[in-house]
Amino acid sequence: MEFKTVEALVSVGARYVGRAPAFDVEPGWWSEVEAINRRLEELLGVRTVVLRLVHADEAEIGRGGRAVYHVEALGEVRSGVLDETPLADWDSIVAAEPLRASWAEVGGPSRLIAWAQSVLGPGDGVQVKTWNLSCLARFPDAWAKATSRFGSVDADIIEHVRRYDETLAPAVLATSREDRWSLLAHAPGTDCWEPDRPSVESVVSRWVGAQAALAAEADELDAPRLLPASLADEVAALIPRVALSDEEVRSLVDLVDRLPAIVDELESAGLPITLVNGDFHPGNWRSDGTQRVIVDWADTFVGHPATDIRRLLDFLPESKRSHGGEVWSAAWRRELPGCEPVRALQPMSVLGPLTYALMYQRFLDNIEPDERIYHEDDPGICLRAALRMCQG
C-alpha cells in the first residue's frame, strides 16, 4: 500500500494556529482524507476537516510524496502539539479565490455534513474525500456529496436515470440544487475494480437500456455537452493551450482536418446522442453479489454512448475486454434494432481521448491554481493518446 506524507496547516476558522508534525498515512491518494482527519483528531483532541490541498510534491501526480493541506479544527486544539511559528504566506492561503470550491472554504465541509444531518437525524458524518471536483462524507446508511459548479449534480442525474431503471443508481434521499449537494442512500457491497462476468453483463446492459431511453430527452438534460460534431473546432482551439512539441502540433492539426470523416464513421453506427456517465470504469460500480449499482455521476455529460464503453475497456483486463464489448454491442442491438454498435468502437478509440482532453481542460479552467496539479498534464496526455490510436 502506498503512503503519503501529510503536512497539515491548521486553523480555527480562518485563524492560523500552527503546523502539525508531519505523518504518513495510507492510502496515498491526495484526495483521500479520512485517515488524515482520524490521525489529526487523535493528535489535536478535536474534530477536523480537510479544506483543500495547498501543495503536493510531484512524485506521482495524484498520490504519494509530500502533501500539504489546509485543515480546519472544529474547536480549540490541544496545547503544545502544533508548531505555532507564524506562517509568512498564511494570508495568501486563506485569501479569497474566485475559483475555490465551496467545500474548500472555511466551514464548507461542516455545512455539507450539517445539512445531511438535518435530513438523516443525529449521527456522525465522516469526511472521506475532498479535491477540486467533489467533497464526500459518509454516514451510517448514506453519503453526502458536494460537486463542482461546472460538473453534474449526482442527485439530478440519478433522478433521471432511476425513472428508467431504479436499481441502477443509489436512491436520492435529498438534494440542495443551489449548493450542488446530494444525499444518497448507501449502496451495499464492494467496489468492482475487477468485475466478474455477471457484473459486466448486468451493469453494461442496464446502463445501455437507460441511455437508449434517455436519448429522447438529451436536449433537455442539465449536464455539460461534449458532442462529436463539435470536436474539430474545440480541439483546434485547445491545441495552442497545451504544452506540445512542434511535431505533435503538426500531427494534431492534421488529425483535426480528418475529424469530420472520423465522426461520420462514428455516426454510421446509428447510435443516438444521450447521457454519458463520463467515468464508466468498474471502480465506480458497487456490488453485493446480487445488486449492482453505479455510484458516481458527477462527470456525466451529453455525448456519444460509445465514450463509456471505451472508458470501460481501458480499465478491464485484456482477457475481459472482448466480453465487455460484446455485451455492450448486444445490448444496443436489442435496444435499437438495425444499429451497428461495433462500428463505433474504432472511431471512438480516437474521439474518446479527444473528448477527455476537452473535459480535463474544462476542469483546469474552473479550479483554483493550487489544485490544478491533479489535472495539469491530462489534456496533453489525452491528445497524445489520440495520436497513438491514429498511428496504431
Side-chain angles (χ1 to χ4, degrees):
M1 176 68 73
E2 186 174 25
F3 291 81
K4 60 178 176 277
T5 299
V6 172
E7 294 186 15
L9 308 178
V10 183
S11 71
V12 175
R15 172 174 58 89
Y16 181 65
V17 294
R19 183 191 296 263
F23 55 89
D24 291 342
V25 295
E26 59 179 15
W29 292 104
W30 301 338
S31 59
E32 301 288 339
V33 299
E34 181 175 359
I36 296 174
N37 286 319
R38 185 166 56 244
R39 183 71 172 271
L40 286 172
E41 288 164 16
E42 294 170 355
L43 185 69
L44 304 180
V46 67
R47 294 287 299 273
T48 64
V49 289
V50 176
L51 300 186
R52 67 184 183 91
L53 183 72
V54 174
H55 171 80
D57 293 340
E58 299 183 35
E60 183 174 354
I61 299 301
R63 61 185 178 185
R66 180 178 68 104
V68 182
Y69 300 89
H70 177 190
V71 173
E72 182 183 4
L74 306 180
E76 295 301 324
V77 305
R78 183 179 290 135
S79 63
V81 176
L82 299 175
D83 176 356
E84 299 178 8
T85 304
L87 201 63
D89 59 347
W90 179 249
D91 286 346
S92 67
I93 290 173
V94 294
E97 163 53 54
L99 295 179
R100 182 160 296 155
S102 61
W103 58 86
E105 301 279 4
V106 169
S110 298
R111 287 192 295 273
L112 172 67
I113 290 170
W115 168 75
Q117 289 170 328
S118 74
V119 177
L120 298 171
D124 285 342
V126 178
Q127 186 192 29
V128 173
K129 181 176 183 177
T130 191
W131 66 325
N132 47 57
L133 301 182
S134 64
C135 181
L136 191 63
R138 185 183 66 246
F139 293 82
D141 295 303
W143 295 80
K145 185 175 183 179
T147 49
S148 59
R149 296 178 295 269
F150 53 90
S152 294
V153 178
D154 288 62
D156 284 351
I157 299 299
I158 287 171
E159 286 174 345
H160 285 290
V161 171
R162 283 174 61 91
R163 284 193 290 110
Y164 299 105
D165 187 334
E166 64 180 15
T167 68
L168 191 57
V172 174
L173 305 179
T175 182
S176 172
R177 289 175 176 81
E178 179 181 356
D179 296 303
R180 306 182 71 80
W181 293 341
S182 302
L183 185 62
L184 308 175
H186 175 65
T190 58
D191 297 341
C192 301
W193 283 108
E194 297 183 9
D196 55 19
R197 290 173 70 92
S199 292
V200 172
E201 290 162 4
S202 172
V203 176
V204 172
S205 297
R206 288 154 58 220
W207 177 224
V208 166
Q211 285 181 301
L214 286 161
E217 54 193 84
D219 290 342
E220 289 82 45
L221 293 172
D222 183 15
R225 274 149 173 74
L226 288 165
L227 303 174
S230 304
L231 279 178
D233 289 342
E234 293 184 23
V235 172
L238 175 63
I239 292 170
R241 304 184 62 195
V242 179
L244 300 162
S245 69
D246 291 345
E247 181 179 352
E248 288 169 338
V249 170
R250 286 191 294 270
S251 297
L252 284 166
V253 169
D254 177 65
L255 174 56
V256 167
D257 290 340
R258 295 160 48 201
L259 282 182
I262 298 174
V263 171
D264 285 346
E265 184 181 356
L266 177 76
E267 292 177 347
S268 71
L271 301 182
I273 296 299
T274 187
L275 198 64
V276 175
N277 176 267
D279 200 14
F280 192 62
H281 65 73
N284 283 333
W285 309 352
R286 296 272 295 176
S287 172
D288 63 1
T290 303
Q291 299 295 321
R292 297 169 177 91
V293 178
I294 303 171
V295 295
D296 186 357
W297 298 89
D299 291 333
T300 301
F301 60 88
V302 173
H304 196 281
T307 316
D308 277 342
I309 189 60
R310 289 299 336 179
R311 183 74 161 173
L312 174 60
L313 297 181
D314 286 344
F315 276 83
L316 288 178
E318 188 172 353
S319 61
K320 296 184 177 181
R321 288 175 191 165
S322 60
H323 174 245
E326 289 164 4
V327 169
W328 178 79
S329 298
W332 271 110
R333 289 195 301 271
R334 284 195 302 272
E335 297 292 338
L336 201 61
C339 72
E340 300 179 70
V342 173
R343 297 186 65 173
L345 295 179
Q346 182 56 40
M348 187 52 72
S349 68
V350 175
L351 300 178
L354 296 179
T355 299
Y356 281 103
L358 295 170
M359 175 187 281
Y360 288 127
Q361 189 60 52
R362 174 163 49 85
F363 293 173
L364 291 171
D365 290 342
N366 288 280
I367 57 180
E368 68 170 296
D370 286 344
E371 293 222 327
R372 290 175 190 161
I373 188 172
Y374 283 103
H375 307 293
E376 235 157 13
D377 296 333
D378 289 338
I381 290 170
C382 292
L383 292 175
R384 293 183 185 99
L387 289 177
R388 286 196 302 274
M389 296 309 299
C390 288
Q391 295 161 357

